[in-house]
């Protein structure tokens, strides 16, 4: 805080990350993170964001959806000169909106290097009905050729799909108790649209990139298209116990490291099934070991990772006992309670 102003420091910089353990990627992000850190503020706040450019080229950040004075809009060449390498620019404005917004590079190809982060503005009075959980998921796609670590930002097709910078099975499941009301905010600033599907339950869309939608929310869905430059908030009551997939339903977005250079489909004469044209297609690839031992994975069945790839995670609707155990494991691991 500086008086009544909330001050944030963002460094635009190269970030080396891993989508799954061992899959190293040289992306660009903010403050050592890709996607960038979440800015979480309240309607009416005065905010100051000091943006330092540590990239090797010019840059400017756009505050997507915010109604700010044009000099604060972050459109290089129009509202301000580009921020040159090593230089900083200070943005300051008062927030007159609430909802799910985001910041991103306004250099198109830098977007495809990963430069995006949430800008969540809470209302002064909480939305009704109240939710027990409020999650955020950044959707991103990447083309990374075999034996490369640098995304090919010119590509029109993608072989790595991430939620919050991880590909399944390295994504972190969303854990809730049966009966909880859940909000999941999703944003997309890439080249592809993502129809995000939830198994086992229906939800309603309660917000877009322009803020909270007007209730009552009558249109029930289980798949929401999160298009490029859009945000979608979904809410549901977690009535159905179980481990439910939450995933993009584009088939190629449920894969890791797809590459057409693998050649024609394998034919193995020793396998009768190989005589079926098109075999194999299943892509079954258990990677339980690579998923790690996060508390949120507690109690999942062996080989749960076999079909978990790409833009995918789980919504785990668990009993109070399982929830308490996962919470205990999180605290023991030095994380926040759920
Ligand atoms: Cu998708």
């Amino acid at each position: 805080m500086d008086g009544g102003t909330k001050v944030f420091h963002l460094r635009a910089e190269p970030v080396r990350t891993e989508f799954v353990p061992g899959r190293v990627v040289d992306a660009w992000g903010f403050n050592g993170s890709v996607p960038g850190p979440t800015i979480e503020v309240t309607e009416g706040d005065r905010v100051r964001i000091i943006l330092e450019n540590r990239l090797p080229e010019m840059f400017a950040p756009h505050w997507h959806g915010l109604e700010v004075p044009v000099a604060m809009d972050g459109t290089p060449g129009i509202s301000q000169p580009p921020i040159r390498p090593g230089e900083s620019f200070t943005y300051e404005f008062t927030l007159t909106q609430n909802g799910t917004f985001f910041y991103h590079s306004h250099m198109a190809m830098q977007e495809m290097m990963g430069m995006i982060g949430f800008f969540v503005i809470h209302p002064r009075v909480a939305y009704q009905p109240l939710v027990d959980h409020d999650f955020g998921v950044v959707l991103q796609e990447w083309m990374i050729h075999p034996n490369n670590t640098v995304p090919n930002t010119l590509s029109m097709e993608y072989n790595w799909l991430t939620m919050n910078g991880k590909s399944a099975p390295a994504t972190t499941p969303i854990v809730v108790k049966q009966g909880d009301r859940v909000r999941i905010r999703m944003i997309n600033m890439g080249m592809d649209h993502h129809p995000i599907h939830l198994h086992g339950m229906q939800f309603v869309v309660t917000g877009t990139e322009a803020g909270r939608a007007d209730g009552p929310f009558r249109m029930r869905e289980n798949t929401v298209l999160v298009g490029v430059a859009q945000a979608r908030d979904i809410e549901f009551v977690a009535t159905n116990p179980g481990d439910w997939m939450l995933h993009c339903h584009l088939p190629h977005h449920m894969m890791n490291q797809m590459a057409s250079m693998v050649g024609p489909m394998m034919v193995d004469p020793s396998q009768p099934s190989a005589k079926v044209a098109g075999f194999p297609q299943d892509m079954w690839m258990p990677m339980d070991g690579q998923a790690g031992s996060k508390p949120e994975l507690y109690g999942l069945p062996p080989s749960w990772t076999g079909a978990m790839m790409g833009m995918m995670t789980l919504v785990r609707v668990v009993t109070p006992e399982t929830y308490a155990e996962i919470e205990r494991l999180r605290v023991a691991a030095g994380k926040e309670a759920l």
Side-chain angles (χ1 to χ4, degrees):
M1 296 296 295
D2 177 13
T5 303
K6 292 183 176 174
V7 182
F8 299 86
H9 294 264
L10 281 179
R11 299 186 313 273
E13 61 189 5
V15 178
R16 174 162 274 211
T17 187
E18 283 183 319
F19 290 166
V20 296
R23 203 337 158 189
V24 173
V25 178
D26 285 301
W28 291 1
F30 299 90
N31 298 19
S33 177
V34 56
T38 294
I39 294 175
E40 204 173 352
V41 286
T42 303
E43 183 177 5
D45 282 349
R46 180 84 178 165
V47 297
R48 181 182 306 143
I49 302 155
I50 301 161
L51 204 304
E52 180 187 350
N53 181 12
R54 292 192 185 178
L55 298 172
E57 61 185 27
M58 59 189 189
F59 164 87
H62 173 57
W63 318 103
H64 195 93
L66 294 190
E67 297 166 10
V68 297
V70 68
M72 297 289 104
D73 191 48
T75 40
I78 303 296
S79 69
Q80 66 169 94
I83 309 170
R84 290 185 295 187
E87 296 189 345
S88 294
F89 192 95
T90 299
Y91 299 86
E92 187 164 331
F93 40 82
T94 300
L95 303 171
T96 60
Q97 300 155 270
N98 62 71
T100 302
F101 302 93
F102 46 101
Y103 59 93
H104 64 83
S105 168
H106 213 279
M107 300 289 192
M109 303 323 295
Q110 291 176 359
E111 291 170 7
M112 296 309 296
M113 287 295 284
M115 305 201 75
I116 182 175
F118 268 109
F119 198 122
V120 174
I121 309 177
H122 294 289
R124 288 186 218 240
V125 178
Y127 304 130
Q128 296 292 328
L130 296 176
V131 292
D132 299 289
H133 301 275
D134 192 339
F135 296 97
V137 180
V138 180
L139 309 173
Q140 291 173 287
E141 69 269 354
W142 317 75
M143 178 69 215
I144 307 171
H145 291 288
N147 298 315
N148 277 259
T149 61
V150 181
N152 175 7
T153 58
L154 306 182
S155 181
M156 293 294 286
E157 58 179 20
Y158 305 94
N159 64 350
W160 282 94
L161 290 299
T162 55
M163 286 179 153
N164 292 344
K166 297 290 180 191
S167 298
T171 49
T172 300
I174 288 168
V175 181
V176 302
K177 273 200 297 278
Q178 190 177 3
D180 281 349
R181 187 172 181 88
V182 182
R183 176 185 304 133
I184 303 174
R185 306 169 189 259
M186 293 176 282
I187 58 174
N188 174 13
M189 189 70 256
M191 279 290 294
D192 267 355
H193 309 300
H194 301 294
I196 302 294
H197 176 59
L198 175 65
H199 290 209
M201 288 166 287
Q202 320 302 331
F203 56 72
V204 292
V205 173
T206 57
T208 72
E209 67 282 353
R212 181 78 168 179
D214 294 327
F217 306 107
R218 292 212 169 93
M219 193 165 98
R220 299 162 76 231
E221 297 175 279
N222 49 55
T223 307
V224 60
L225 185 64
V226 188
V228 172
Q230 291 186 323
R232 288 291 180 272
D233 300 347
I234 63 170
E235 292 184 19
F236 58 96
V237 179
T239 51
N240 200 355
D243 299 318
W244 304 107
M245 275 196 180
L246 177 74
H247 65 98
C248 179
H249 226 301
L250 293 189
H252 286 197
H253 293 190
M254 296 188 269
M255 305 286 161
N256 289 342
Q257 194 66 75
M258 294 254 283
S260 54
M261 62 180 71
V262 295
M265 287 299 171
M266 178 177 65
V267 175
D268 179 355
S270 69
Q271 291 191 57
S273 55
K275 295 193 171 67
V276 177
F279 169 85
Q281 299 288 348
D282 65 30
M283 300 272 179
W284 178 255
M285 199 180 298
M287 297 170 63
D288 292 9
Q290 280 202 288
S293 55
K294 282 180 286 203
E296 294 82 359
L297 308 181
Y298 169 80
L300 287 169
S303 295
W304 69 275
T305 53
M308 291 288 295
M309 284 173 267
M311 190 174 279
M312 188 176 288
T313 191
L314 294 172
V315 173
R316 306 193 65 195
V317 182
V318 301
T319 62
E321 294 72 30
T322 300
Y323 191 87
E325 178 60 14
I326 292 173
E327 187 152 67
R328 190 190 67 74
L329 291 169
R330 278 177 63 90
V331 172
K335 295 184 180 179
E336 289 174 52
L338 285 167

